């Protein structure tokens, strides 16, 4: 039974940021630019949770004092549930109006930043459709799946320091690529791409040699965000043997500013796609952690793709179990992402490389233009919704970025 | 002209931790276990810099107050030089005896921890001998160098959260490996290895899309440490296609507790090995940043190898320029390492995989035992020295770890 918002909030129960969502952010306002606060989205406003907790939840207010989610993430599942219940009470009961109404600011006036300190960033390769489409393009005669792919999630460590919040402009990167004659050339990428992904934010840390069982996923992972893992395909192609992607993926990774807690995704849980391979015990799930998150990718506001996260082969609980299976520790603020989300349909692919078949068939946009790869000035927006209560859909917000032209200069 | 230590210090000018070295650490003592202090090694003692700065350098004492190097690293080259000059004065002039003598504690009584917060960890593959030996073992008929290797440093992001200080025990990891019949099996690695490396600690941060020129290396990098990038070769072999190493290298990375500033390595600078390939401008150096650091690897205190860092093909200035060339930002506390250091001689290889030719020829140790791969209980120690003034050699300390047996249990 969904909780109705208090009358004074004037919030439609079908609003994508209804009380069923309540994602967290870090924000400041123009009037108080230096005062970074933890916020909670409700409708088209942001609740100043840092101040609200001082008034109404003094025992936990230290968790929100520095304006980042880090201490709250570290606190664990009990705190996550309690604080969500408190916020829900404040926003649904008339008696809290006086205490919180002046703490709601219009979202348009909130300056959003990265809501947590990114510790390690891991990106997976969990969508079978993504992998098989890439293989059919790049290695049409080879096995469409890498040797270990059906047996374990394949992933790599990305650059945590390059994670930026939605709205940050992305400079077209330079790098070495294989030139027409085969010799390498240094210059701006000519094959700039997006990758639409779902990211998972770790709250509770572990120590080395303490694997996290699939059944303990929700004890460690706080919530989800949207991720655009910008990729320079030509730089990546030249550099990747044998250690994987590096500079072609480390020039910027955009995340949505809203972290939606797992608690808001109870209605979104689905069984992952059927798997045809017997799995090692540490990857065998007893709960369904597939998620019916529907992504939409827009280029310059025109719909380019609708990738369905529910089609992704490896669940986020399996990704975490595999990430820690060999003994890697978790730190608060670790971010791991699904890798490109692609569905079986042609309009469900999560990257231009797949949509344009490696540039061979440029994607037609509604304005009459077409894209094989991203052009300078292009703005890419990834949004998503998930099922909420009573047939509503809740929003995961937006991960957006605009491409700036390369800077080509001598850097000696 | 080297600076002589004050007479009361009773320090041999040829001591590996003479005033020419002065590496930094973070430490506490048994009596004051909760008081984490920044320390400076001098001889067989550690100077409590946190307290010394309060007494003698009050304008900079905030840099050392929280016991980690992070604020000092961020402060930049001017502060690094000033503080080193101050410490040198305190330890070389009689008049400072009263102010600092009671702040020196025996190194045996200092509990050392990670001296800085590791932001991103990048590991390169910069030794030509290492790469060619691996290729001759794994792909004898193929080109010994990956396609881009001579044109740019090859590297990947590792797990920053798995970096631990010397002395931390390393649990033998479990993972999926290709079984005898080709089917994957999950269990403890049977091919556990070390990799002897040199690491570089970034002090001054940058923003996205601001590449760091080779000429600006010493403005951003504070100093060096020793690194053991423990590797499970069988896990790594199964997982690495196409995104590179993951769980096979994320279960622990040991670093020496001492960060030796670049300023201490002026006598160690040498020209890197000659390169036979024309380089892109951003990789072309005007200064020599090869370093005559001589590593020694011991297994259970028996010498196993003497890898010479001076043989490494790509210099640390080139590694940093390449790391940032596509636009990656630097954060204070970023750590990047050379990759396995191997020299041309058979006794100069920096990993067991090379020393034992992939297990085919176990390495004989002085106690009569032999190692194809590491056994439970084995202790691996990496030490190193570099030229100091007047023919002396200064020490980089030690990166040491002992292998604990795997924990094999159900983790569901």
């Amino acid at each position: 039974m969904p909780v109705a918002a208090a009358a004074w909030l004037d919030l439609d129960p079908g609003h994508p940021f209804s009380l069923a969502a309540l994602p967290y952010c870090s924000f400041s306002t123009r009037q108080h630019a230096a005062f970074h606060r933890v916020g909670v989205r409700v409708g088209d406003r942001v609740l100043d949770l840092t101040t609200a907790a001082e008034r109404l939840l003094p025992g936990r207010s230290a968790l929100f004092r520095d304006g980042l989610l880090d201490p709250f993430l570290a606190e664990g599942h009990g705190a996550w549930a309690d604080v969500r219940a408190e916020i829900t009470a404040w926003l649904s009961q008339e008696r809290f109006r006086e205490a919180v109404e002046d703490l709601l600011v219009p979202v348009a006036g909130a300056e959003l930043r990265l809501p947590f300190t990114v510790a390690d960033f891991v990106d997976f390769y969990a969508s079978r459709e993504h992998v098989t489409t890439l293989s059919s393009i790049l290695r049409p005669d080879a096995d469409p799946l890498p040797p270990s792919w059906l047996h374990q999630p394949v992933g790599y460590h990305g650059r945590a320091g390059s994670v930026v919040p939605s709205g940050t402009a992305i400079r077209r990167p330079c790098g070495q690529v294989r030139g027409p004659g085969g010799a390498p050339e240094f210059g701006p990428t000519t094959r700039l791409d997006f990758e639409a992904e779902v990211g998972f934010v770790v709250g509770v840390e572990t120590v080395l040699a303490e694997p996290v069982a699939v059944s303990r996923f929700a004890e460690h992972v706080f919530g989800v965000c949207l991720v655009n893992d910008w990729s320079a395909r030509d730089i990546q192609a030249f550099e990747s043997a044998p250690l994987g992607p590096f500079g072609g993926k480390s020039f910027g990774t955009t995340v949505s500013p809203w972290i939606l807690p797992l608690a808001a995704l109870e209605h979104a849980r689905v069984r992952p796609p059927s798997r045809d391979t017997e799995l090692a015990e540490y990857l065998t799930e007893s709960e369904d952690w597939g998620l019916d998150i529907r992504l939409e990718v827009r280029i310059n506001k025109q719909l380019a793709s609708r990738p369905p996260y529910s089609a992704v082969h490896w669940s986020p609980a399996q990704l975490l179990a595999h990430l820690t299976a060999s003994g890697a520790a978790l730190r608060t603020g670790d971010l791991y992402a699904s890798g490109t989300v692609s569905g079986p349909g042609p309009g469900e692919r999560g990257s231009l490389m797949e949509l344009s078949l490696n540039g061979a068939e440029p994607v037609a946009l509604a304005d009459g233009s077409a894209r094989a790869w991203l052009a300078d000035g292009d703005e890419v927006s990834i949004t998503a919704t998930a099922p909420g209560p009573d047939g509503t859909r809740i929003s995961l917000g937006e991960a957006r970025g605009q491409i700036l032209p390369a800077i080509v200069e001598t850097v000696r």
Side-chain angles (χ1 to χ4, degrees), chain A:
Chain A
M1 187 65 181
V3 178
W8 60 268
L9 264 176
D10 190 23
L11 180 64
D12 185 321
H15 193 289
F17 291 103
S18 71
L19 298 199
L22 299 178
Y24 295 85
C25 72
S26 176
F27 79 103
S28 57
T29 59
R30 214 160 301 137
Q31 302 95 300
H32 305 285
F35 180 24
H36 293 287
R37 289 166 268 188
V38 172
V40 178
R41 176 102 181 230
V42 51
D44 299 319
R45 291 185 281 181
V46 181
L47 171 69
D48 170 358
L49 178 58
T50 297
T51 307
E54 278 170 13
R55 291 181 186 173
L56 297 167
L57 203 54
R60 296 209 193 263
S61 62
L63 296 179
F64 307 106
R65 197 161 291 155
D66 74 358
L68 282 173
L69 286 172
D70 304 9
F72 180 50
L73 295 178
E75 198 71 0
H77 195 270
W80 305 341
D82 288 353
V83 169
R84 186 170 166 86
E86 289 284 340
I87 296 168
T88 303
W90 303 340
L91 298 172
S92 61
Q93 297 175 24
E94 292 300 324
R95 65 191 172 102
F96 290 107
R97 177 173 188 168
E98 195 179 343
V100 301
E101 190 170 21
D102 67 316
L103 300 179
L104 289 160
V105 303
V107 69
E111 188 78 26
L112 301 169
R113 61 171 186 159
L114 269 187
F116 62 98
T117 309
V118 183
D120 271 300
F121 170 48
V122 167
D123 206 7
F124 284 96
Y125 197 49
S127 159
R128 186 166 181 163
E129 282 72 21
H130 171 65
V131 177
T132 51
T133 303
L134 283 197
S135 294
S136 73
I137 292 169
L138 297 176
R139 295 172 291 270
D141 299 326
D143 191 325
L145 295 171
S148 75
W149 199 92
L150 287 170
H151 304 286
Q152 63 187 12
V154 170
Y156 70 101
H157 285 86
R159 189 159 186 84
S162 293
V163 175
V164 292
S166 181
T168 307
I170 299 294
R171 181 72 63 182
R172 177 181 297 272
C174 292
Q176 294 195 42
V177 305
R178 198 184 304 275
E185 294 175 358
F186 179 84
T189 176
T190 59
R191 300 173 68 196
L192 186 56
D193 203 353
F194 59 82
E195 292 193 337
E197 311 193 2
V198 175
F200 297 86
V201 179
V202 171
V204 177
E205 65 178 14
T206 62
V207 296
L208 284 184
E210 190 186 82
V212 176
V214 282
S215 62
R216 296 179 60 204
F217 164 67
E219 292 173 38
H220 290 274
V221 168
F222 172 75
V224 306
C225 61
L226 299 174
V227 177
N228 184 346
D229 185 40
W230 304 94
S231 299
R233 301 298 183 191
D234 41 5
I235 298 173
Q236 188 186 342
F238 186 57
E239 75 187 354
S240 284
L243 300 182
F246 187 57
K249 281 178 175 279
S250 65
F251 56 90
T253 301
T254 302
V255 296
S256 57
W258 307 105
I259 312 301
L260 186 68
L262 286 187
L265 289 167
E266 278 303 314
H267 298 274
R269 291 175 62 175
V270 293
R271 177 150 295 190
S274 71
R275 297 154 184 151
D276 39 17
T277 304
E278 193 182 352
L279 293 180
E281 192 166 3
Y282 78 98
L283 292 171
T284 305
E285 298 172 289
S286 51
E287 287 186 86
D288 292 333
W289 274 109
L291 294 167
D292 178 20
I293 296 172
R294 300 183 197 165
L295 289 79
E296 296 190 335
V297 182
R298 286 178 174 76
I299 300 175
N300 301 330
K301 305 194 190 304
Q302 303 157 91
L303 189 68
S305 180
R306 293 182 193 270
Y309 182 76
S310 59
V312 171
H313 185 89
W314 294 103
S315 83
Q318 292 173 314
L319 300 183
L320 189 69
H322 184 66
L323 170 54
T324 59
S326 75
L330 297 177
R331 291 188 294 180
T332 298
D334 279 350
L335 172 67
Y336 68 94
S338 56
T340 308
V341 176
S342 291
E348 297 182 333
R349 295 169 179 166
S351 68
L352 266 181
M353 186 168 187
E354 294 162 85
L355 290 163
S356 75
L357 297 175
N358 206 23
E361 297 180 15
V363 179
L365 298 176
D367 65 3
S369 68
R371 289 290 179 286
W373 306 103
L374 294 172
D376 288 347
D378 278 354
E379 182 186 78
V380 178
S381 157
I382 302 169
T383 56
T385 62
D390 292 333
T392 61
R393 292 195 74 82
I394 60 175
S395 174
L396 280 80
E398 181 182 33
R400 178 174 43 79
Q402 187 175 25
I403 304 301
L404 302 180
I407 300 174
V408 184
E409 61 176 31
T410 300
V411 293
R412 275 177 74 175

